[in-house]
Amino acid sequence: MNSFVSKILVLTTIFFLLFNKIDAFAQCGGKNDVFQSGEKLYFDGYYNLAFIWLNAGYVTFSVENIFKNKEKLFKISAIGGSHKGYDKIFKIRDTIEVIVDPITVQPIEYKQITLEGTYTAEHYYQFDKTKRKVNMRIRRDKSQWEIKTIDWPQCSFDVLSMAYAARTIDFSKYKVNDKIPMNLIVDGEHQALYIRYKGVEIIQNKDGKYYRCLKFSPLLLEGTIFNKGEDMTVWVTDDKARVPIIVEAKILIGAVKAIFIGADGLKNPIEAEINFE
């Protein structure tokens, strides 16, 4: 992933999932009472180069009802792109979608379509809960399809379903500097990672509003975006809405930041905003 907008898409998705205090997700028995169909979250994506922060892209997360074999499910989407003013330099249109159980948030089907300049990629995953397998089709730059099947360990999620499953976790039982493991299926592989809980902090968003937030740093894998280590910081509202407010990270060249700009259709109101007047 070469562009800063795709970095922001992955970054925001990760930062959404980073507060995944996955303590085996209560043996994957969590119950969703945090988000609902109709919810939308909006973020601006910033890229820092030579001390200048450029608002160059956007990311939108949404949840909607769908019916499959007469069963009501959720389709969760993350869509990111470059602003039109930057399209001539490097056009980005990235989409991630996952169909999940609306109560347990366990993934059923996953799709990722990437368009970054001249680079394209497609990922399709089918989750078989009976055999505990993930059947995958992956193609990059219109090459031949890679067809494979990997094990699906208990309490493992793709990046987007984990992001939403994480919002149902009880944070009160963790102490500052605790490491919490998370199991992630990403880019066709299973990865065992962790996040470090850093406590509660009041932060000011770009719009001047203050929020009481839970703060985290994840262990990142070395790759085309990040160095290996904990060079990312995440702030998410300390309330029942569990909305990410700011995430920032160092990358191989410069830094990136995702900033919350608004929400529609929240199941629970944002109560972590602080008014100092």
Side-chain angles (χ1 to χ4, degrees), residues 34-198:
V34 175
F35 62 90
Q36 63 186 357
S37 176
E39 179 189 272
K40 291 186 177 181
L41 302 174
Y42 308 96
F43 298 85
D44 277 338
Y46 288 80
Y47 176 64
N48 180 272
L49 187 63
F51 304 105
I52 298 174
W53 284 100
L54 303 174
N55 181 356
Y58 62 89
V59 182
T60 300
F61 292 87
S62 62
V63 183
E64 63 180 297
N65 287 327
I66 67 165
F67 289 87
K68 190 176 180 66
N69 299 323
K70 298 183 179 180
E71 182 181 10
K72 188 171 83 169
L73 304 169
F74 279 169
K75 182 173 79 170
I76 303 172
S77 303
I79 298 174
S82 50
H83 292 315
K84 290 184 179 180
Y86 291 88
D87 279 352
K88 292 182 180 180
I89 301 173
F90 201 88
K91 184 177 181 178
I92 306 298
R93 298 293 184 270
D94 291 344
T95 300
I96 300 175
E97 296 178 349
V98 62
I99 298 173
V100 303
D101 182 286
I103 304 300
T104 66
V105 203
Q106 284 284 291
I108 298 169
E109 297 178 9
Y110 174 89
K111 178 174 73 173
Q112 180 176 341
I113 306 295
T114 302
L115 170 61
E116 302 169 1
T118 59
Y119 174 78
T120 62
E122 300 172 71
H123 292 248
Y124 298 93
Y125 305 162
Q126 292 279 346
F127 292 84
D128 187 331
K129 65 180 180 181
T130 301
K131 297 180 179 179
R132 299 305 305 178
K133 299 288 185 180
V134 186
N135 302 309
M136 301 181 166
R137 291 188 298 125
I138 301 172
R139 180 168 68 171
R140 299 177 178 88
D141 276 334
K142 298 182 179 180
S143 61
Q144 290 187 342
W145 286 98
E146 177 186 1
I147 310 294
K148 68 177 184 177
T149 298
I150 67 171
D151 291 335
W152 181 18
Q154 293 289 337
C155 307
S156 296
F157 297 78
D158 63 85
V159 292
L160 198 49
S161 62
M162 180 177 277
Y164 281 78
R167 296 171 69 184
T168 70
I169 302 299
D170 178 11
F171 292 80
S172 62
K173 58 185 177 180
Y174 295 95
K175 299 178 181 178
V176 174
N177 284 324
D178 275 355
K179 290 182 180 180
I180 303 98
M182 65 178 184
N183 298 302
L184 181 63
I185 294 173
V186 59
D187 202 21
E189 303 291 341
H190 174 260
Q191 303 287 350
L193 306 176
Y194 71 79
I195 63 170
R196 186 187 301 277
Y197 176 53
K198 292 191 171 182

Side-chain angles (χ1 to χ4, degrees), residues 207-226:
D207 60 6
K209 296 181 179 179
Y210 289 85
Y211 296 89
R212 184 183 67 258
C213 290
L214 302 164
K215 183 179 179 181
F216 307 90
S217 291
L219 172 67
L220 301 176
L221 295 175
E222 185 173 2
T224 58
I225 300 175
F226 305 106

Side-chain angles (χ1 to χ4, degrees), residues 241-261:
R242 297 284 170 80
V243 172
I245 298 298
I246 297 176
V247 58
E248 58 186 24
K250 297 177 182 178
I251 56 175
L252 297 180
I253 301 177
V256 287
K257 183 182 294 188
I259 295 179
F260 172 72
I261 57 174

